[in-house]
Amino acid sequence: MERLKGTIGWVGACYGVDLSEETAGGRRVIARAERSRGNAKWSSVAQDDPAFRTDVANDCPVVACLSVRESFTRWLSAPLTSPAKARSVLPTLLDIQLPFALEDCACQFLEFGREDNSTHALAVAGRHADIRGKLDALAKSGLDPLVLDHEGLAVWTQSLWEWPAPPDLAQAPRVVLALGVERCAVVLGRGERYKNAHSIRQADPAAIGRLLRAELGADAPVVWLFSGAGARDDARVSALHAALSASWPGPRFVHADPETFLARALATRALLPGPLRCNLRSGILAHPALIRRSRRQAMRAAVAALLAGLFLAGVSRIAQEWITRAETRIDRSFATLRDRLMGCPIKAKGQRALDTVRLKLQKDKDDLRPFVNALGPSLTDMAGIMSDVARKRGLAFDAVSLSPDRIAVEGTAEQWDGCDELVKRLRAFGYPVRLERQEALSNGRIPFTLKSGGDNG
């Protein structure tokens, strides 16, 4: 299931107020919840408790809800695989199904998911007139709720929180009956997936059966759970369960402290993360404190974005200056080396400078070659050295080509390493010779070839 933050998860405590006229003769039921180590500790609070009034006066948040009959939920499916695109068309799909204008409602879309080639989401909404009516009723008691939740969703998630189904019933239909004095909220789903919520005037088994058949299909085993002030009457719960079990058999469970169940559900959902969190006091009816918080968050986000932009701009400028200085140093070094090789300053740059320097060095090399050759060893001396090494190392020359800047020798040796001394002597005189040897001949001698690279260095 989709996991969201608590609707006011930034606070440490709040009050949940159940304003249903059906609870305990019409009096308000209040629960105080305090977040502690990822859980919520709660306690029942009397409506005339001075501590409650003091906390409210000191801006401790209050959370209430629209009843199931004052609000509605709808599962919608859009033929789009992108949740972002689906969000843009879901309001239109919801508007088609409503008997009144969507502009007259506050709505939210929860629990997005994909199935086949479509995106589904749960729409939860309430009319502005009903929201204002709830706010007026609370204002008469001096309460200004920060959040207006949805009764059906609050009952469903709190029931899952307090009584998770055992493994053998994990996927079974689940029905929570919130029993009031004159009204019953029927909240149903399958496994952990919420399906819908309905309000009926009396806990009539026939009416509940009709709702189940419409929502869940044929008669099947059901997990029955009971909450609300009416759930304190064990005889009433037993009679209702017995009547329903004739067609919808299944175990029953009565939530602890059923009268405060909805109030603590509202407070818990406000503080803790979990599925299907919502706040219908939004848009034009949003609480001024939430509007101010939203503006502060937007301002902080804008300031953070501005600072990040300034930082990136500063980093970019510093990097650009560093690159410019590095390019200047490289250009200066290149120019110095270019002029040194040319022997005088020139203005050529880049590839043109490289070509100019290359031609100059080649010309200098060609001009100096006669002097290098004259100062190097004579070819007669080289021939004498080669003959001396050949005699000592048992070498036989078949072909010899000798010039001031190139040498090539072909022959045979008695030993595999017989040419090593000749290679050393030739390299000492500046001939970059390469030695290649072949497999031994039938007489045991090793053919070899010595060639210089065509340049005496």
Side-chain angles (χ1 to χ4, degrees):
M1 302 180 74
E2 183 182 10
R3 308 298 292 181
L4 304 174
K5 295 180 180 180
T7 46
I8 50 173
W10 62 89
V11 301
C14 69
Y15 288 92
V17 178
D18 177 4
L19 196 59
S20 303
E21 62 181 2
E22 295 85 4
T23 56
R27 71 181 183 86
R28 293 164 182 81
V29 177
I30 304 171
R32 185 181 191 277
E34 182 175 350
R35 187 172 54 248
S36 176
R37 297 180 180 180
N39 209 329
K41 296 181 179 179
W42 70 274
S43 58
S44 179
V45 178
Q47 58 183 349
D48 56 355
D49 188 334
F52 167 61
R53 291 298 174 184
T54 300
D55 280 350
V56 171
N58 291 329
D59 296 327
C60 184
V62 172
V63 182
C65 71
L66 293 181
S67 68
V68 172
R69 66 181 178 183
E70 296 168 327
S71 54
F72 54 90
T73 55
R74 297 282 191 281
W75 280 102
L76 302 175
S77 181
L80 299 167
T81 57
S82 169
K85 293 181 179 179
R87 286 179 185 274
S88 64
V89 301
L90 286 175
T92 302
L93 296 178
L94 179 61
D95 194 16
I96 295 172
Q97 299 188 28
L98 297 178
F100 35 78
L102 184 62
E103 291 76 10
D104 296 334
C105 301
C107 68
Q108 293 182 359
F109 299 95
L110 314 174
E111 200 169 280
F112 279 78
R114 286 196 296 180
E115 185 174 351
D116 297 329
N117 294 320
S118 63
T119 298
H120 62 259
L122 179 65
V124 52
R127 292 194 301 172
H128 289 152
D130 292 323
I131 295 174
R132 289 190 181 94
K134 184 67 66 172
L135 294 177
D136 290 343
L138 288 161
K140 292 178 180 179
S141 299
L143 302 178
D144 186 16
L146 207 63
V147 173
L148 277 183
D149 207 334
H150 181 275
E151 178 191 15
L153 298 181
V155 168
W156 179 257
T157 59
Q158 191 69 14
S159 178
L160 290 173
W161 177 270
E162 295 187 6
W163 196 86
D168 58 324
L169 298 173
Q171 299 303 318
R174 180 185 182 110
V175 179
V176 187
L177 299 179
L179 302 177
V181 176
E182 298 180 352
R183 184 181 69 91
C184 173
V186 182
V187 186
L188 47 85
R190 186 178 296 274
E192 293 188 353
R193 182 176 174 80
Y194 169 88
K195 192 166 183 63
N196 211 339
H198 302 272
S199 178
I200 56 179
R201 291 194 59 81
Q202 295 288 345
D204 178 13
I208 296 173
R210 287 192 295 271
L211 291 175
L212 266 62
R213 289 187 184 91
E215 296 285 359
L216 300 177
D219 298 359
V222 168
V223 179
W224 297 97
L225 297 108
F226 296 85
S227 69
R232 294 180 304 168
D233 187 343
D234 186 65
R236 181 185 179 189
V237 170
S238 297
L240 182 57
H241 178 255
L244 292 169
S245 294
S247 298
W248 306 87
R252 74 171 187 179
F253 178 83
V254 178
H255 284 287
D257 298 297
E259 185 177 11
T260 62
F261 179 81
L262 178 57
R264 67 177 183 265
L266 298 174
T268 299
R269 283 165 56 85
L271 296 181
L272 301 183
L276 302 175
R277 269 45 176 170
C278 69
N279 180 13
L280 292 174
R281 187 174 184 183
S282 58
I284 61 175
L285 297 177
H287 194 284
L290 287 183
I291 295 175
R292 290 193 296 270
R293 176 180 172 81
S294 178
R295 289 174 177 171
R296 287 195 301 268
Q297 288 179 323
M299 180 61 70
R300 284 196 293 268
V303 171
L306 176 61
L307 293 176
L310 293 174
F311 173 76
L312 291 176
V315 169
S316 176
R317 182 169 182 176
I318 292 172
Q320 186 60 45
E321 290 178 355
W322 183 87
I323 292 171
T324 301
R325 288 197 296 268
E327 289 177 343
T328 301
R329 288 195 301 270
I330 293 172
D331 289 343
R332 189 181 298 117
S333 299
F334 178 83
T336 300
L337 179 60
R338 175 201 63 196
D339 294 345
R340 184 182 301 162
L341 293 173
M342 290 298 295
C344 64
I346 64 172
K347 295 183 177 181
K349 296 182 179 180
Q351 186 62 42
R352 184 180 176 186
L354 292 175
D355 293 340
T356 303
V357 171
R358 184 182 298 110
L359 292 173
K360 172 66 166 56
L361 294 178
Q362 185 62 46
K363 183 177 183 302
D364 291 346
K365 185 176 181 181
D366 293 340
D367 292 343
L368 292 172
R369 187 174 302 280
F371 298 97
V372 174
N373 292 339
L375 294 174
S378 69
L379 297 182
T380 303
D381 291 340
M382 288 297 304
I385 292 171
M386 292 172 62
S387 297
D388 184 54
V389 173
R391 185 176 58 256
K392 291 180 180 179
R393 301 298 296 174
L395 304 180
F397 298 147
D398 297 329
V400 176
S401 175
L402 189 60
S403 68
D405 58 356
R406 184 178 180 85
I407 189 170
V409 180
E410 294 182 6
T412 60
E414 292 181 350
Q415 303 294 330
W416 183 263
D417 58 353
C419 298
D420 291 353
E421 184 176 349
L422 180 60
V423 171
K424 292 180 181 178
R425 297 293 293 272
L426 293 174
R427 287 178 176 171
F429 280 104
Y431 289 97
V433 292
R434 298 189 305 274
L435 172 62
E436 296 179 2
R437 286 173 286 212
Q438 302 175 15
E439 296 295 330
L441 301 173
S442 59
N443 60 5
R445 294 186 68 82
I446 311 299
F448 70 87
T449 301
L450 277 173
K451 290 182 180 180
S452 69
D455 194 334
N456 69 349

